[in-house]
């Protein structure tokens, strides 16, 4: 980012690396994640105010385990090691790390032994989240111990003269009660970074950058009606106006009233150039007789790309393709840790781009996390209903319509989904749920409705909560809400006579 103080997070493959960066940004300071292999000279050129060494899944005692460039400790900027980061800092600076006599996983109470800028404003004790099998067995020269637990004598250490700090626990997770205060102390008190990272500044910087990049050329944006593409489109439109043209493909798999909503909001309210393709018949024809979920995804994905580029050719001379790529997309697709963690996924936003189109990518959100994108959307004037919308899959209802996809079944599912969302909104639960959705099962059920015996389809309702968008728990839906949903669905949706609630003990999120 332009002219902002920043903190860099060296990623050693931790599952919490992104969370550390987000916590720094919550302090009002820009942060970015780089591989642990990043040379000290490159970090120096970045002009950072401080360095955080993340945790990681490896053991520092294992040959070949990740090590940073030792020269980062000679850059003259504060360094904060977290868990593995503390251990690797101790090892590089000349001390041993041993397997702990008692491994610590979960909550622990630390005793703060001496005053420290890291613990400024805290009491003598604090509850933190531990997750380690190794621990520092001897402090490196110049370090003193600032906190301990019965099982970990060097829970927190520091070299105040060189501004090196380390903790064996994870201050970035919500379970560490004073963790955010510790991160704030490191960023603002120790690194003395200016808290000037805000959405207002981001908008100003982005508009300037977009205008400089685009000049007088045209930008094409695929508008889905989801949060990311919507925010990207509005931001770019604010910068270059009618030089942006959006393509909106209705694949027939959208939720009830969604196509009309997108056309009204972006075409009429924001007055954008909008190329609309109603391709429902094409998609339904391609999906006829197909029941295997992955096959449906591939068909929908390929046809969407073909339709999108067919419509794009009607938009004149295009130089840029805009995408709602987020910072986690960039991090995951480059395997940020440089080895200890595998690449989670390839860059999903750029898949399927024909090589002969020669468009440059314009990704104005690629420095932002999801919560920041929502905040940006509010700043740009997007309605809260869209900004806080639950995640929706690219293939849409096609993958929630289990079995064969037909117009009749999709319309049934649309009605079921609309009632479910309406009822959880009425109950004030929508914002407490990470994702709520309905599925239509490929089975029929015998039931009695009134005096009539019926044989109709079965739907399931699912709601999950999530803190990190990686794992989730099923939402304990109040009985009264489930009852209202079931009664309305069976009364108002002619094709359904049975409603099931879908519960998972703990799941990986599948949209």
């Amino acid at each position: 980012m332009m002219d902002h103080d920043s903190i860099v997070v060296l990623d050693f493959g931790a599952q919490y690396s992104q969370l550390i960066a987000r916590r720094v940004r919550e302090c009002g300071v820009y942060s970015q994640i780089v591989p642990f292999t990043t040379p000290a000279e490159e970090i120096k050129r970045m002009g950072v105010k401080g360095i955080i060494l993340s945790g990681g899944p490896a053991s520092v005692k294992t040959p070949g385990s990740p090590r940073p460039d030792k020269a980062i400790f000679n850059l003259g900027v504060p360094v904060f090691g977290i868990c593995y980061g503390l251990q690797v800092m101790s090892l590089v600076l000349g001390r041993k790390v041993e397997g702990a006599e008692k491994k610590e996983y979960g909550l622990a109470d630390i005793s703060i032994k001496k005053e420290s800028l890291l613990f400024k404003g805290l009491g003598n004790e604090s509850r933190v989240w531990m997750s380690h099998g190794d621990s520092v067995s001897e402090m490196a020269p110049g370090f003193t111990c600032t906190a301990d637990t019965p099982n970990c004598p060097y829970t927190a250490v520091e070299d105040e003269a060189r501004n090196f700090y380390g903790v064996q626990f994870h201050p970035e997770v919500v379970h560490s009660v004073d963790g955010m205060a510790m991160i704030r102390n490191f960023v603002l008190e120790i690194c003395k970074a200016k808290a000037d990272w805000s959405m207002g500044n981001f908008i100003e910087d982005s508009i300037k950058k977009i205008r400089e990049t685009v000049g007088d050329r045209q930008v094409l944006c695929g508008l889905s009606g989801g949060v990311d593409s919507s925010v990207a489109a509005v931001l770019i439109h604010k910068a270059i106006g009618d030089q942006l043209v959006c393509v909106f493909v209705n694949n027939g798999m959208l939720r009830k009233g969604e196509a009309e909503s997108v056309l009204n909001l972006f075409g009429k309210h924001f007055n954008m150039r909008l190329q609309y393709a109603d391709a429902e018949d094409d998609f339904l024809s391609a999906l006829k007789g197909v029941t295997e979920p992955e096959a449906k995804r591939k068909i929908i994905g390929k046809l969407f790309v073909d339709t999108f580029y067919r419509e794009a050719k009607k938009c004149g001379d295009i130089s840029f393709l805009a995408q709602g790529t987020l910072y986690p997309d960039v991090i995951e697709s480059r395997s940020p840790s440089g080895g200890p963690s595998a690449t989670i996924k390839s860059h999903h936003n750029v898949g399927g781009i024909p090589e002969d189109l020669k468009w440059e990518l314009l990704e104005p959100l690629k420095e932002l996390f999801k919560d920041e994108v929502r905040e940006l959307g509010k700043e740009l004037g997007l309605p809260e209903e869209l900004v806080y919308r639950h995640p929706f899959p690219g293939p849409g209802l096609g993958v929630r319509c289990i079995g064969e996809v037909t117009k009749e079944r999709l319309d049934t599912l649309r009605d079921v989904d609309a009632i479910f969302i309406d009822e959880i909104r009425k109950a004030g639960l929508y914002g407490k749920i990470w994702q709520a959705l309905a599925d239509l099962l490929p089975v029929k059920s015998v039931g009695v409705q009134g005096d009539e015996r019926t044989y109709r389809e079965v739907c399931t309702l699912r709601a999950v909560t999530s803190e990190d968008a990686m794992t989730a728990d099923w939402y304990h839906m109040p009985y009264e809400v489930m009852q209202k949903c079931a009664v309305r669905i069976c009364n108002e949706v002619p094709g359904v006579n049975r409603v099931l609630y879908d519960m998972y003990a703990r799941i990986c999120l599948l949209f």
Side-chain angles (χ1 to χ4, degrees):
M1 282 303 296
M2 305 174 182
D3 303 322
H4 294 290
D5 284 352
S6 66
I7 302 293
V8 70
V9 179
L10 257 62
D11 181 18
F12 290 90
Q15 59 178 319
Y16 297 133
S17 291
Q18 292 185 29
L19 189 53
I20 296 171
R22 287 175 61 185
R23 293 289 183 251
V24 173
R25 293 188 184 187
E26 287 171 23
C27 299
V29 176
Y30 181 67
S31 63
Q32 56 185 315
I33 300 170
V34 300
F36 74 89
T37 52
T38 305
E41 277 301 313
E42 184 176 333
I43 295 174
K44 183 179 180 180
R45 285 194 297 271
M46 294 164 65
V48 300
K49 300 291 286 187
I51 300 170
I52 297 179
L53 311 179
S54 83
S59 168
V60 293
K61 300 183 284 118
T62 302
S65 57
R67 299 284 187 275
D69 182 349
K70 187 175 181 179
I72 65 170
F73 298 104
N74 298 323
L75 293 178
V77 298
V79 180
F80 184 20
I82 295 175
C83 198
Y84 182 93
L86 163 62
Q87 297 165 15
V88 79
M89 178 167 63
S90 298
L91 199 67
V92 170
L93 294 178
R95 284 297 181 262
K96 293 178 65 176
V97 174
E98 302 287 353
E101 288 186 17
K102 293 184 178 180
K103 301 179 189 296
E104 289 186 295
Y105 299 100
L107 292 172
D109 293 315
I110 65 169
S111 296
I112 297 174
K113 301 167 67 70
K114 68 183 291 286
E115 287 188 8
S116 168
L117 273 179
L118 191 67
F119 300 138
K120 182 180 178 180
L122 307 186
N124 295 324
E125 293 185 347
S126 186
R127 178 154 289 187
V128 300
W129 184 259
M130 292 281 197
S131 181
H132 68 99
D134 299 332
S135 61
V136 175
S137 56
E138 185 180 356
M139 288 185 292
F143 280 79
T144 58
C145 178
T146 55
D148 63 12
T149 70
N151 295 328
C152 184
Y154 303 119
T155 301
V157 299
E158 68 177 44
D159 182 337
E160 189 176 7
R162 291 186 289 176
N163 274 328
F164 294 163
Y165 295 80
V167 295
Q168 188 56 69
F169 52 88
H170 289 275
E172 70 273 20
V173 303
V174 293
H175 309 292
S176 292
V177 177
D178 298 310
M180 189 61 206
M182 298 174 198
I183 292 173
R184 188 179 296 111
N185 284 337
F186 176 73
V187 171
L188 302 180
E189 299 289 338
I190 296 169
C191 297
K192 300 194 182 302
K194 294 194 298 285
D196 58 0
W197 166 253
S198 70
M199 280 303 111
N201 289 338
F202 179 84
I203 292 172
E204 290 178 15
D205 290 346
S206 296
I207 288 174
K208 181 179 179 182
K209 187 175 180 181
I210 290 168
R211 287 173 178 167
E212 290 174 350
T213 302
V214 174
D216 60 358
R217 293 174 289 176
Q218 283 202 125
V219 177
L220 179 73
C221 179
L223 191 60
S224 69
V227 179
D228 303 339
S229 68
S230 298
V231 173
V234 175
L235 178 61
I236 296 168
H237 186 256
K238 192 175 181 69
I240 60 173
D242 282 347
Q243 289 171 247
L244 171 71
V245 56
C246 294
V247 171
F248 173 48
V249 177
N250 182 355
N251 60 9
M253 313 292 152
L254 304 177
R255 290 186 278 198
K256 191 169 185 176
E258 191 163 15
E260 296 79 7
S261 175
V262 170
L263 292 173
N264 285 331
L265 178 62
F266 296 97
K268 295 181 180 178
H269 178 72
F270 284 106
N271 198 29
M272 291 185 187
R273 292 172 61 198
L274 195 56
Q275 182 74 25
Y276 174 57
D278 186 351
E280 180 181 40
D281 291 343
D282 294 339
F283 280 83
L284 289 174
S285 176
L287 289 168
K288 188 174 182 179
V290 180
T291 59
E292 203 276 319
E294 190 59 25
K296 287 195 285 188
R297 286 180 180 273
K298 289 180 179 178
I299 290 170
I300 294 170
K302 182 180 184 306
L303 187 52
F304 179 88
V305 170
D306 292 343
T307 306
F308 177 81
Y309 289 109
R310 185 182 68 230
E311 295 299 315
K313 291 177 181 177
K314 303 175 184 177
C315 300
D317 187 24
I318 299 295
S319 298
F320 295 88
L321 176 64
Q323 296 191 318
T325 308
L326 304 191
Y327 196 36
D329 299 329
V330 176
I331 296 167
E332 289 169 354
S333 63
R334 76 183 181 201
S335 188
S337 59
S341 63
T343 299
I344 298 171
K345 60 183 177 183
S346 60
H347 199 318
H348 66 278
N349 278 327
V350 299
I353 297 177
E355 292 182 5
D356 59 347
L357 288 176
K358 308 299 183 185
W359 291 339
E360 294 180 52
L361 286 180
L362 186 64
E363 299 169 305
L365 310 182
K366 67 180 181 180
E367 296 173 320
L368 300 183
F369 291 103
K370 188 74 172 188
D371 55 335
E372 293 172 323
V373 172
R374 296 189 194 279
E375 185 183 346
L376 175 59
K378 287 171 59 180
E379 290 272 344
L380 291 169
L382 282 162
E384 288 204 4
E385 185 174 330
L386 188 151
V387 169
Y388 291 104
R389 171 182 162 173
H390 291 174
F392 191 62
L397 296 180
V399 291
R400 295 180 181 175
C401 189
I402 314 301
E404 186 173 7
V405 179
T406 66
K407 176 73 162 62
E408 182 183 17
R409 296 191 76 219
L410 285 169
D411 287 341
T412 296
L413 183 54
R414 269 187 273 271
D415 288 339
V416 170
D417 181 79
I419 290 171
F420 185 32
I421 298 300
D422 183 51
E423 286 299 327
I424 64 174
R425 284 193 186 279
K426 286 179 179 176
L429 302 177
Y430 190 84
K432 299 177 181 179
I433 296 169
W434 190 83
Q435 185 185 48
L437 60 97
D439 287 319
L440 198 62
L441 301 184
V443 295
K444 289 191 174 182
S445 167
V446 175
V448 176
Q449 291 175 285
D451 296 324
E452 181 186 1
R453 185 181 180 87
T454 61
Y455 184 58
R456 295 173 183 167
E457 296 205 83
V458 178
C459 73
T460 66
L461 308 180
R462 185 196 312 177
V464 298
T465 59
S466 178
E467 291 290 334
D468 55 12
M470 296 174 68
T471 58
D473 263 337
W474 65 279
Y475 182 74
H476 293 235
M477 189 71 69
Y479 173 79
E480 320 82 72
V481 178
M482 286 196 288
Q483 184 181 37
K484 287 179 181 178
C485 290
V487 169
R488 279 193 62 189
I489 289 168
C490 290
N491 285 342
E492 298 175 28
V493 184
V496 174
N497 70 355
R498 190 173 302 275
V499 180
L500 309 178
Y501 191 62
D502 191 353
M503 297 190 305
Y504 289 75
R506 188 163 179 81
I507 62 172
C508 288
L509 293 181
L510 300 173
F511 301 155

